[in-house]
Amino acid sequence: PLHVFQAGRVIVREGDRADAAYIITAGRCEVRKRDPGHPGRSIALRVLEPGDVFGETAIFADSPRSASVVALEDVSAVVVDRASLEELVASTYLGRFVRALADRFLEVESRARQGSGPG
């Protein structure tokens, strides 16, 4: 289903459980990550625009959100819940590939946060 998120709204919050993925159809969002050196502050990572997808990695890897996404302006997005996405992926061999990629991505990201880099 299509949802509208008003400017300034946090659509997904870093650390929360992933229950949906989003496909932006209108508007722009900003991906933000907590700044480990400054509690209460965040670092802007990138801007997402119509056609971009976010939130899918945490669903496939069954892990907490790795960043927050905030609407910079009013945003319309198709929301795909966990059950629908898992059903779609599970129906093909591609699902195993996607799950493996998500797990590897999160592993590399975790190592980068710990300062050891991919090994």
Side-chain angles (χ1 to χ4, degrees), residues 12 17-23 31 46 48 52-61 63-67 69 80 82 85:
V12 301
R17 181 179 179 276
D19 58 356
Y22 303 81
I23 305 166
V31 180
R46 67 183 174 277
L48 302 174
D52 287 332
V53 176
F54 64 91
E56 73 290 353
T57 304
I59 288 178
F60 290 128
S63 64
R65 302 277 188 196
S66 60
V69 177
V80 182
R82 176 187 285 271
L85 196 56

Side-chain angles (χ1 to χ4, degrees), residues 25-114:
T25 60
R28 295 180 315 122
C29 301
E30 184 174 72
V31 180
R32 300 177 182 170
K33 199 160 186 63
R34 289 185 194 119
D35 183 343
H38 299 90
R41 291 181 57 196
S42 62
I43 301 167
L45 300 177
R46 67 183 174 277
V47 173
L48 302 174
E49 299 181 333
D52 287 332
V53 176
F54 64 91
E56 73 290 353
T57 304
I59 288 178
F60 290 128
D62 195 23
S63 64
R65 302 277 188 196
S66 60
S68 296
V69 177
V70 179
L72 293 175
E73 53 199 40
D74 288 354
V75 169
S76 296
V78 174
V79 180
V80 182
D81 67 29
R82 176 187 285 271
S84 298
L85 196 56
E86 285 183 341
E87 183 179 316
L88 175 65
V89 170
S91 68
T92 67
Y93 284 110
L94 179 61
R96 290 184 185 175
F97 178 74
V98 170
R99 283 184 198 277
L101 282 176
D103 288 341
R104 299 261 163 64
F105 172 79
L106 291 171
E107 180 181 312
V108 168
E109 183 179 271
S110 175
R111 286 182 182 171
R113 277 188 297 214
Q114 296 169 2

